[in-house]
Amino acid sequence: MTDHPTTPAPSTGTGATSIGTSHPPSGARDERDERARAALMAVRTEVGKAVVGQDAAVAGILIALLCRGHILLEGVPGVAKTLLVRSVAAALDVQTKRVQFTPDLMPGDVTGSLVYDNATSEFSFREGPVFTNLLLADEINRTPPKTQASLLEAMEERQVSVDGTPRRLPTPFLVAATQNPVEYEGTYPLPEAQLDRFLLKAVLPLPPREDEISVISRHAAGFDPRDLAGAGLRAVASAEDVEAGAARVRHVQVSPEVAAYIVDIARATRSSPSLSLGVSPRGATALLATSRAWAWLNGRTFVTPDDVKSLAQATLAHRLSLRPEAELEGVAVSAVLDAAIGSVPVPR
């Protein structure tokens, strides 16, 4: 996804058959559909009261929520990664918790554990912070793999198993994890299997001069990032809006040509000489899901090739691995992915 995504131009598409659970109602959208879309789009405006110039990352979080996925936020210190997630949580009427990942964090500190109760002489389960709607996993690459892996079941199965008993997580459930790309000492890079569990990866860039002036001006006027309510942020969307939107996204139609376009992009990465690991079928289905959500947010009932191209970098880049010789030559994953996308004919 680009830093400032634009609404792709509509496409008529071809073919009589399309991929979808059922056809959306003809004529005007139903009232609930429009209300859910308006509420979720209002989240972007509300977050703008606290965070300047990170619209693409906000859109990524909304898309992850609609697709029942998770998002990895990467950026150098000080680009408002944590503030962004806190602001989205403030604009949504959902429960949120934050975990600061450190080298001494244990799996039970995230998922919860059995605690002995002296009053009953029995063990009872004490829920960990993962039992929430929006979990901010701050600096996830600072904790060892054992603790990182404690999130795998929660992210994939939406449940936590302790002592053989599965416990369901609330709905909606999203992990928004942050990591710093420039610090390597004392960090534990996420393995490919766990990176693949993140539906999207959004890179938060340093702001342009105009946005940075706006940030400084806000602080000079008394903005306190620790007091979001004081900045005027309020909940403008609910868990019901997220669930209604997620249900509608599953009705967004995908023509056979666009589905084949997604598959051909994935296959093009597998044959790239610069990559040791291309996009898997799960990555292709992830691109299908994010393209559908982006189309729905833009008020359309069908996916266009522009939707696919708009979401390809954010959905696929973190799933690719460069060959060692390509890394030594300074090849960028984003450039390799762009080349793969450019090699695939765009359906008309």
Side-chain angles (χ1 to χ4, degrees):
M1 188 160 39
T2 56
D3 291 344
H4 298 281
T6 55
T7 304
S11 171
T12 56
T14 58
T17 307
S18 55
I19 298 171
T21 53
S22 65
H23 291 284
S26 58
R29 311 282 203 282
D30 62 58
E31 184 180 345
R32 188 181 182 192
D33 184 29
E34 290 296 339
R35 186 170 63 246
R37 182 186 295 106
L40 291 173
M41 293 303 288
V43 169
R44 300 175 70 175
T45 303
E46 204 67 17
V47 171
K49 296 177 180 178
V51 180
V52 177
Q54 300 293 2
D55 290 344
V58 178
I61 294 175
L62 294 178
I63 288 170
L65 278 168
L66 290 169
C67 297
R68 305 178 190 273
H70 311 282
I71 187 167
L72 181 63
L73 303 171
E74 184 176 275
V76 298
V79 292
K81 298 186 296 295
T82 303
L83 177 62
L84 174 70
V85 178
R86 289 179 53 237
S87 299
V88 172
L92 291 168
D93 186 17
V94 297
Q95 186 182 26
T96 181
K97 293 179 183 176
R98 175 179 180 270
V99 178
Q100 181 65 51
F101 280 76
T102 57
D104 61 347
L105 194 73
M106 299 297 291
D109 298 329
V110 179
T111 61
S113 56
L114 294 175
V115 178
Y116 185 74
D117 188 341
N118 287 320
T120 62
S121 299
E122 293 180 349
F123 284 94
S124 60
F125 179 69
R126 180 176 295 172
E127 293 183 349
V130 76
F131 285 85
T132 188
N133 297 120
L134 199 163
L135 176 68
L136 171 56
D138 223 352
E139 296 186 295
I140 191 172
N141 58 334
R142 284 196 172 279
T143 200
K146 183 178 180 179
T147 305
Q148 290 175 0
S150 67
L151 278 175
L152 282 175
E153 182 186 16
M155 292 171 67
E156 188 68 19
E157 306 295 335
R158 295 178 177 267
Q159 67 178 26
V160 168
S161 296
V162 176
D163 196 31
T165 303
R167 294 171 171 85
R168 299 298 300 174
L169 296 173
T171 300
F173 173 68
L174 175 137
V175 175
T178 70
Q179 69 175 12
N180 179 350
V182 298
E183 227 172 346
Y184 297 104
E185 188 171 346
T187 63
Y188 304 85
L190 290 171
E192 285 77 6
Q194 184 141 8
L195 280 173
D196 200 39
R197 294 302 194 280
F198 285 98
L199 182 72
L200 297 158
K201 176 181 175 182
V203 178
L204 279 68
L206 288 168
R209 183 174 184 272
E210 293 76 14
D211 286 349
E212 198 162 0
I213 290 173
S214 179
V215 170
I216 297 299
S217 299
R218 289 188 183 192
H219 281 262
F223 171 71
D224 183 357
R226 291 170 290 275
D227 181 17
L228 295 179
L233 264 77
R234 60 186 180 87
V236 294
S238 65
E240 289 73 24
D241 292 321
V242 174
E243 288 303 294
R248 293 307 306 158
V249 164
R250 292 194 291 273
H251 292 282
V252 173
Q253 301 299 300
V254 184
S255 70
E257 291 78 11
V258 172
Y261 182 54
I262 292 171
V263 169
D264 288 342
I265 288 174
R267 294 178 69 85
T269 65
R270 297 172 204 163
S271 60
S272 171
S274 298
L275 297 176
S276 60
L277 179 66
V279 174
S280 68
R282 176 160 55 190
T285 59
L287 183 54
L288 169 69
T290 57
S291 300
R292 272 178 154 178
W294 184 235
W296 180 81
L297 282 172
N298 282 292
R300 283 180 284 101
T301 59
F302 55 90
V303 174
T304 70
D306 283 338
D307 294 328
V308 175
K309 287 192 283 188
S310 293
L311 273 298
Q313 284 285 347
T315 309
L316 303 181
H318 63 289
R319 306 171 193 271
L320 305 176
S321 293
L322 287 170
R323 293 187 185 277
E325 54 269 29
E327 287 190 72
L328 290 174
E329 293 171 3
V331 175
V333 167
S334 59
V336 176
L337 180 54
D338 279 339
I341 296 169
S343 69
V344 178
V346 179
R348 299 296 178 188

